[in-house]
């Protein structure tokens, strides 16, 4: 058992997961070749792992083959989410939580349609900001946003990316006359 920061011990990472995360998995050549082949198909939005296009002229053919956007994580295709090996790995992860300060008071003083429009705009802008920093939005819950950085692909500066996204979200909130905290 390994040690976690201030928590209970966690099981050691399996060699299979360690090889996947180091890029040394036996199928890495096939995965890279598939990624390059999928890049040929036109599309502006793609799976972050296999490069399958979600938009464009060929997206329908990819959806039929199971490479449509996942409902669990819209930055990945359904096939990549479902074909992940069992088990898991303990990896560093940065999580960003943000919500609108004083939302209850704001909701009582704002027309419902106006409030829904402002929160919807905030959600779209927050998702774009998190995506620019290579994170993914885990969920929206009313006025709150939860985003993760470090999965499915880790970067050495994921914590800094989360802070940069948070600062960007605060700026966006100011543009909407909302205080993000």
């Amino acid at each position: 058992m390994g040690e976690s920061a201030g928590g209970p011990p966690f099981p050691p990472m399996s060699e299979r997961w360690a090889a996947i995360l180091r890029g040394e998995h036996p199928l890495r050549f096939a995965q890279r070749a598939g990624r390059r082949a999928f890049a040929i198909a036109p599309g502006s939005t793609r799976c972050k792992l296999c490069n399958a296009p979600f938009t464009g002229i060929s997206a329908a053919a990819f959806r039929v083959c199971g490479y449509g956007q996942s409902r669990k994580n819209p930055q990945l295709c359904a096939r990549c989410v479902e074909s992940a090996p069992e088990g898991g790995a303990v990896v560093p992860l940065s999580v960003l939580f943000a919500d609108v300060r004083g939302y209850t008071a704001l909701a009582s003083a704002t027309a419902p349609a106006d409030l829904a429009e402002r929160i919807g705009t905030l959600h779209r802008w927050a998702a774009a900001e998190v995506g620019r920093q290579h994170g993914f939005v885990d969920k929206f819950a009313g006025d709150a946003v939860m985003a993760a950085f470090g999965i499915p692909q880790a970067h050495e500066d994921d914590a800094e990316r989360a802070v940069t996204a948070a600062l960007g979200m605060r700026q966006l909130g100011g543009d909407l006359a909302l205080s993000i905290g």
Side-chain angles (χ1 to χ4, degrees), residues 9 27 100 106 113 117 125 128 143 146-147 157 170 177:
L27 295 177
V100 176
L106 177 69
E117 182 180 330
W125 288 1
D143 67 316
M146 178 179 166
D157 60 345
R170 287 188 71 185

Side-chain angles (χ1 to χ4, degrees), residues 4-175:
S4 64
F10 53 82
M13 189 182 318
S14 73
E15 188 52 40
R16 180 177 182 195
W17 269 102
I20 289 170
L21 294 172
R22 286 191 310 258
E24 300 169 356
H25 193 267
L27 295 177
R28 74 185 155 109
F29 175 77
Q31 290 170 339
R32 275 200 318 247
R35 186 171 168 76
R36 288 183 180 146
F38 284 2
I40 295 169
S44 59
T45 309
R46 298 178 174 277
C47 174
K48 296 285 186 187
L49 293 180
C50 72
N51 220 15
F54 297 144
T55 59
I57 193 167
S58 59
F62 279 88
R63 277 193 301 275
V64 168
C65 296
Y67 290 98
Q69 257 179 321
S70 168
R71 292 178 300 173
K72 295 178 183 176
N73 182 349
Q75 291 189 348
L76 302 176
C77 72
R79 185 168 280 196
C80 285
V81 170
E82 299 303 326
S83 67
E86 289 185 24
V90 177
V91 295
L93 179 69
S94 297
V95 179
L96 166 65
F97 295 98
D99 68 353
V100 176
R101 283 191 213 130
Y103 180 74
T104 303
L106 177 69
S108 65
T110 307
D114 182 44
L115 183 64
E117 182 180 330
R118 290 169 71 186
I119 296 298
T121 301
L122 177 67
H123 286 176
R124 287 189 297 280
W125 288 1
E129 186 64 34
V130 167
R132 270 193 289 281
Q133 298 302 323
H134 302 283
F136 78 91
V137 174
D138 180 51
K139 66 181 69 141
F140 293 114
D143 67 316
V145 178
M146 178 179 166
F149 297 81
I151 53 173
Q153 295 175 330
H155 303 91
E156 287 186 21
D157 60 345
D158 281 322
E160 289 86 3
R161 290 171 187 261
V163 170
T164 301
L167 292 173
M169 289 169 61
R170 287 188 71 185
Q171 176 64 43
L172 299 171
D175 292 347

